Amino acid sequence: MSDRKSINSDVDVFKTIFNDHWGGFIEAHPQYNIDQYNDQVQKMLGCKDASNGYSEYICMHCGRDRIRIPFSCKSCFCLSCSKQYVDNFVSQVSAMLHTGVIYRHIVLTLPEQLRPMFFKERFSKDLLSGFMKCGSECLEDVVSNVKRKTLKIGTIVVVQTHGRSGRYNPHLHIIMTSGGICAERERWYDLGYFKYEIIHKKWQYHLFTWLKGHFDSSEVNRLVDMLWKEYPNGLVANVSKGSVPDACRGLAGYLAKYVASPPIAVRRIISYDGETVGYWYKDHKTKSKKFEKVAVYTFIGRMVQHIMPKGFQRIRYYGLEATKTYKKWSEVIQKGIKRIGRIVKGAYQIVKRKKYRERYQEISGKDPMICQYCEAEMELMEIWHPKYGVLYDIFSTLEEVKDEQKEIDRGSGYSVWPPAGGVQLPLFKMSS
């Protein structure tokens, strides 16, 4: 078998830290010894380990080159799979963009006093789902207020629980349509310029109102009432200057760089001595690099606390972007944009999900499926899974084809052998 090095052959410090200390961490902190965390950590630790399954390719031309590709875990918690996660995210978002529509990027944050409350309820899907819906409803209220009419807008909402330092800091990244539709008149209205300060007050109102209804407790009510006084100008809401990129790849990639990534990138880990981990991040306020050195258990805790509950969808589509009514509203939007005299730009090209071969070529500049000796294209030889065993074996398949041919030759029919990759078609004599 070829000894070609994988594109991930460098030492994975992140994985090493968990491999060394995960057992000790959950023993010291038993609240993390549950499936929500264990499953994701074990998937990450087993990522690209051939004992967890693989596909093997062989050069059928010269027979000299073979390459085994271990299965990846495809987890957003795994740093080595983050590139694949981002590619899939870009593909998913690009398929939901309306032709000719301008989008804006909004970030809605939580006051730091509310973060412990969210952390305590981090296993609750209802809390995070309500948080995301609240953000979408807030922005729809903002647009309707600015245009002085009830409008339906489109939002793509992603919840992110980590700040740049890795600490727990829930906030929403939202891509919103820069305008909306009056459902009664089926007419599109562009948003245009507006004072962004309105978002601060509106977000405060919607968030605090929702929190009181969701928790329905006197303790939360007192905290919210205190925060009303502490934030007289509303809550922090960051609005990107100008519109986000109008090409689907640029727009989806723009959002992906903020949200479709694990809590920390490998390149930001600068030291690990078995007991402490050093890493850096860019501070929001100072715009400069900050360095932290923390105990290894502290580092692990900061990372795993961001693992979402199993089955939770951290990307949601609302209003004009909702999957069920997407096609209906798309047609209305096109008519509305033409009516106001704006040129409808070419349709967004849906970015296809990339396979291992494409991602490998992008990173290494080499095609992993080309024989390094004769440059012929290699073929799938075997697929093996630890639970189900051999799922595919090219040599067994060839033997089955030969046996089938022998059976046909014994009969009264003739056969036509197809070119490679074709389908064998038996041709029987026609009775006169």
Side-chain angles (χ1 to χ4, degrees), residues 27 92 132 143 229 374:
E27 185 176 343
Q92 182 179 344
M132 297 171 78
V143 174
K229 299 176 182 178
C374 69

Side-chain angles (χ1 to χ4, degrees), residues 53-232:
Y54 60 83
S55 297
E56 192 167 333
Y57 293 80
I58 186 172
C59 177
M60 298 294 285
H61 186 262
C62 72
R64 299 175 64 193
D65 197 7
R66 291 167 66 175
I67 180 172
R68 179 174 290 179
I69 304 173
F71 294 156
S72 63
C73 68
K74 301 178 180 63
S75 169
C76 61
F77 184 67
C78 176
L79 301 190
S80 62
C81 286
S82 60
K83 180 65 168 63
Q84 180 179 355
Y85 186 79
V86 168
D87 288 342
N88 291 343
F89 179 90
V90 171
S91 173
Q92 182 179 344
V93 171
S94 71
M96 298 301 295
L97 303 178
H98 289 287
T99 303
V101 173
I102 297 171
Y103 289 83
R104 302 187 188 214
H105 177 215
I106 314 289
V107 182
L108 301 178
T109 66
L110 273 180
E112 60 181 347
Q113 296 91 334
L114 293 174
R115 293 174 194 171
M117 180 195 306
F118 271 67
F119 180 76
K120 186 178 179 180
E121 300 288 329
R122 64 190 181 282
F123 304 122
S124 171
K125 294 181 182 179
D126 290 340
L127 177 67
L128 294 175
S129 297
F131 184 45
M132 297 171 78
K133 186 178 180 181
C134 180
S136 177
E137 291 176 345
C138 166
L139 294 183
E140 187 162 87
D141 186 17
V142 169
V143 174
S144 297
N145 186 274
V146 170
K147 302 305 293 184
R148 300 182 182 278
K149 50 180 64 66
T150 302
L151 299 178
K152 179 183 287 292
I153 69 169
T155 54
I156 301 174
V157 183
V158 185
V159 62
Q160 186 178 35
T161 58
H162 58 84
R164 294 183 178 182
S165 66
R167 292 184 176 87
Y168 199 78
N169 178 16
H171 55 283
L172 303 175
H173 284 263
I174 302 178
I175 290 290
M176 60 171 280
T177 54
S178 187
I181 286 177
C182 176
E184 295 180 357
R185 304 178 63 183
E186 291 196 347
R187 182 176 176 181
W188 171 266
Y189 292 87
D190 267 334
L191 180 56
Y193 170 80
F194 70 99
K195 292 184 177 181
Y196 292 134
E197 288 77 11
I198 186 177
I199 299 180
H200 298 261
K201 299 289 287 186
K202 285 288 186 182
W203 176 229
Q204 182 183 45
Y205 169 77
H206 279 270
L207 177 65
F208 288 175
T209 302
W210 166 71
L211 283 173
K212 283 188 172 183
H214 179 83
F215 286 98
D216 192 23
S217 74
S218 56
E219 182 181 354
V220 172
N221 290 345
R222 285 194 296 270
L223 175 59
V224 168
D225 290 339
M226 182 269 291
L227 292 175
W228 271 110
K229 299 176 182 178
E230 192 161 334
Y231 294 89

Side-chain angles (χ1 to χ4, degrees), residues 153-345:
I153 69 169
T155 54
I156 301 174
V157 183
V158 185
V159 62
Q160 186 178 35
T161 58
H162 58 84
R164 294 183 178 182
S165 66
R167 292 184 176 87
Y168 199 78
N169 178 16
H171 55 283
L172 303 175
H173 284 263
I174 302 178
I175 290 290
M176 60 171 280
T177 54
S178 187
I181 286 177
C182 176
E184 295 180 357
R185 304 178 63 183
E186 291 196 347
R187 182 176 176 181
W188 171 266
Y189 292 87
D190 267 334
L191 180 56
Y193 170 80
F194 70 99
K195 292 184 177 181
Y196 292 134
E197 288 77 11
I198 186 177
I199 299 180
H200 298 261
K201 299 289 287 186
K202 285 288 186 182
W203 176 229
Q204 182 183 45
Y205 169 77
H206 279 270
L207 177 65
F208 288 175
T209 302
W210 166 71
L211 283 173
K212 283 188 172 183
H214 179 83
F215 286 98
D216 192 23
S217 74
S218 56
E219 182 181 354
V220 172
N221 290 345
R222 285 194 296 270
L223 175 59
V224 168
D225 290 339
M226 182 269 291
L227 292 175
W228 271 110
K229 299 176 182 178
E230 192 161 334
Y231 294 89
N233 297 319
L235 303 180
V236 176
N238 299 314
V239 182
S240 298
K241 295 180 180 179
S243 59
V244 295
D246 56 3
C248 67
R249 187 183 298 274
L251 186 147
Y254 180 86
L255 185 57
K257 71 180 182 180
Y258 288 99
V259 296
S261 59
I264 191 170
V266 171
R267 62 183 176 81
R268 288 169 50 195
I269 301 176
I270 55 178
S271 66
Y272 168 58
D273 59 12
E275 297 180 357
T276 61
V277 181
Y279 65 98
W280 66 269
Y281 63 93
K282 192 172 182 180
D283 184 71
H284 266 298
K285 295 180 179 179
T286 64
K287 306 300 181 184
S288 60
K289 282 186 179 181
K290 276 197 172 183
F291 296 86
E292 284 207 36
K293 192 171 186 178
V294 297
V296 68
Y297 283 5
T298 301
F299 178 82
I300 290 176
R302 286 186 181 179
M303 298 300 104
V304 298
Q305 65 184 350
H306 306 297
I307 295 176
M308 296 290 186
K310 187 175 182 179
F312 180 77
Q313 298 297 320
R314 65 195 301 254
I315 308 172
R316 305 285 177 94
Y317 303 87
Y318 299 96
L320 306 181
E321 300 291 339
T323 307
K324 292 182 179 179
T325 56
Y326 177 85
K327 185 176 180 180
K328 169 192 171 183
W329 292 122
S330 185
E331 294 172 353
V332 176
I333 289 172
Q334 303 313 305
K335 293 178 183 177
I337 292 176
K338 290 178 181 177
R339 187 180 291 116
I340 63 176
R342 198 170 84 218
I343 298 175
V344 178
K345 300 178 183 179

